[in-house]
Amino acid sequence: MGRNLGIVLGVLAATGIWQGCRDQQKGPEPVFRHDLSEGPRPWNSEAFEPTETDFTFAIISDLNGGERPGVFSRAVAQLNQLDPTFVLSVGDLIDGGTEDELQLQKEWDFFDARADKLQMPFFHLGGNHDLTNVKMREFWARRYGPRYYHFVFDNVLFLMIDSEDYTEDRMQEIYQARDSAIRILDGELEGSYPESTYYRMPERNLGGMGSEQLTYFREVLQQYPDVRWTFLLMHKPLWLRNDGMSLSRDVAPLEALETALEGRKYTVINGHFHRFSHRKRNGMDYMILGTTGGSQVEGDSTAFDHVSLVRMGETPVITHLRMDGILQAEGHLPPAQDPPRP
């Protein structure tokens, strides 16, 4: 999208209306031509954008927590039509929740078989389904490298944050409690999910960020003090919500990093809840995305499949596109066809 539009607008902007060169010197060949030499004209301006200095990137949200077949494959086809410069994720890319490496291999192969059909770069980020236990963390490291990282594109800084950054002991406690809770939901164990240990854990709704990761991103911010914008992507929110869903924690991990962000323009984006919401915090946009194939609560108007496009000009222009409204030229949705599972 950005690439093709940039070419057209750049040429359109060259000279405006073609009038010829009285001094016989040839100027840039114009694209906009007409034969109206006088009188009213049926357009409102000839001040075309001189050049396109922005770029556009896309974000996908949760696939899992009950993935619905075909949705992500359809999103890939739609993103290829929209043609962003690159695509980011906010985690929960596989079902996960296992220590079986053969199963993990199959699930990641299935995800990558679909993601690799994108015609632009894709950036992985892990969620609680992707980094449920220590073995899954080790599997991620072998396949994708660091769980948290940063990059700069066109003087815009991206912080890709691991919100499952707990000590190994605490990660194991969360994993075991989560596994028991899932068994209760599946009817394999007796009990009530709202009374389970996992349900009462603050980590169920609020992410973790260890001191090593915090130091890393503080140093990154010091390294890039003058970027034109900073985006922070994570799976679980690392900031306290004001809707009573942050459970018992009084302090959120992101607060220390928010101090380092003071005076800087930034946007925070996460997933995890499968419901879209937006709020202002510290005068900046904090948003929770919906789904790109993950489970949804029937009848919840904030639960919908979408991709998010961010056009990065002087400030970001964020547009959330519901997948059921992104149609092919014939007026149909792209096919929702997954490749065979490994």
Side-chain angles (χ1 to χ4, degrees):
M1 184 172 84
R3 182 168 58 247
N4 296 336
L5 184 59
I7 294 171
V8 174
L9 289 180
V11 177
L12 283 175
T15 59
I17 301 174
W18 180 71
Q19 296 177 339
C21 298
R22 295 180 180 178
D23 58 2
Q24 301 300 314
Q25 294 180 357
K26 288 188 177 180
E29 186 70 16
V31 169
F32 181 56
R33 301 169 184 262
H34 65 85
D35 61 358
L36 300 180
S37 59
E38 58 184 19
R41 295 172 183 176
W43 52 84
N44 67 350
S45 175
E46 296 169 7
F48 295 101
E49 185 180 3
T51 184
E52 187 178 34
T53 59
D54 53 9
F55 67 94
T56 300
F57 64 93
I59 308 169
I60 63 164
S61 190
D62 297 40
L63 276 68
N64 269 284
E67 181 178 2
R68 287 167 289 121
V71 179
F72 178 57
S73 291
R74 172 172 284 160
V76 168
Q78 291 171 323
L79 287 167
N80 284 337
Q81 290 181 279
L82 296 169
D83 193 27
T85 304
F86 52 86
V87 179
L88 308 178
S89 62
V90 292
D92 274 9
L93 308 178
I94 65 169
D95 189 46
T98 179
E99 295 180 305
D100 184 338
E101 294 205 3
L102 180 59
Q103 180 63 25
L104 291 174
Q105 179 78 38
K106 290 179 179 179
E107 291 186 19
W108 280 118
D109 285 350
F110 181 56
F111 173 80
D112 284 338
R114 294 171 290 168
D116 288 347
K117 292 182 179 179
L118 286 166
Q119 297 167 2
M120 66 289 298
F122 174 78
F123 292 80
H124 292 77
L125 188 67
N128 58 300
H129 278 263
D130 313 310
L131 299 168
T132 317
N133 54 53
V134 175
K135 285 193 175 181
M136 292 183 69
R137 182 185 283 181
E138 293 169 350
F139 190 96
W140 177 284
R142 292 194 301 269
R143 185 158 181 144
Y144 301 115
R147 304 187 313 275
Y148 56 87
Y149 57 99
H150 78 281
F151 65 96
V152 177
F153 187 90
D154 198 15
N155 202 31
V156 175
L157 175 62
F158 295 85
L159 307 185
M160 308 294 283
I161 300 173
D162 173 21
S163 64
E164 302 301 302
D165 190 17
Y166 313 108
T167 66
E168 290 190 1
D169 288 344
R170 184 57 176 169
M171 174 170 268
Q172 190 65 16
E173 291 174 0
I174 298 168
Y175 170 56
Q176 291 175 345
R178 178 181 180 272
D179 184 67
S180 295
I182 291 173
R183 291 177 184 274
I184 290 172
L185 289 171
D186 291 343
E188 298 178 14
L189 291 177
E190 292 185 2
S192 168
Y193 175 63
E195 296 176 0
S196 67
T197 300
Y198 180 68
Y199 189 85
R200 297 190 299 270
M201 282 182 166
E203 290 90 349
R204 180 171 63 88
N205 286 330
L206 182 66
M209 181 167 59
S211 58
E212 185 175 331
Q213 183 176 187
L214 176 60
T215 298
Y216 170 82
F217 283 120
R218 277 175 167 165
E219 292 176 352
V220 169
L221 291 173
Q222 292 173 358
Q223 184 180 356
Y224 297 100
D226 300 320
V227 292
R228 54 189 177 126
W229 208 271
T230 300
F231 288 93
L232 295 83
L233 279 83
M234 63 202 72
H235 181 65
K236 289 178 186 171
L238 293 168
W239 42 276
L240 289 172
R241 299 162 63 191
N242 57 5
D243 56 6
M245 294 300 292
S246 293
L247 301 180
S248 61
R249 285 195 183 180
D250 297 323
V251 178
L254 194 64
E255 291 179 359
L257 198 58
E258 285 173 326
T259 301
L261 289 163
E262 288 181 1
R264 179 187 292 255
K265 298 176 180 178
Y266 67 91
T267 302
V268 176
I269 302 172
N270 68 270
H272 184 60
F273 293 97
H274 297 206
R275 291 165 24 220
F276 180 86
S277 64
H278 171 275
R279 64 208 18 93
K280 288 285 187 178
R281 177 178 167 91
N282 302 325
M284 300 296 168
D285 290 309
Y286 284 58
M287 60 192 67
I288 299 176
L289 303 183
T291 55
T292 313
S295 63
Q296 298 174 347
V297 176
E298 187 176 355
D300 187 340
S301 62
T302 66
F304 50 83
D305 288 315
H306 69 107
V307 296
S308 300
L309 284 186
V310 183
R311 180 170 58 83
M312 191 62 232
E314 183 177 347
T315 61
V317 178
I318 302 176
T319 305
H320 305 288
L321 303 178
R322 294 180 61 126
M323 289 176 56
D324 57 11
I326 306 175
L327 309 180
Q328 294 177 313
E330 301 82 5
H332 305 300
L333 285 168
Q337 295 177 345
D338 288 334
R341 285 184 176 270

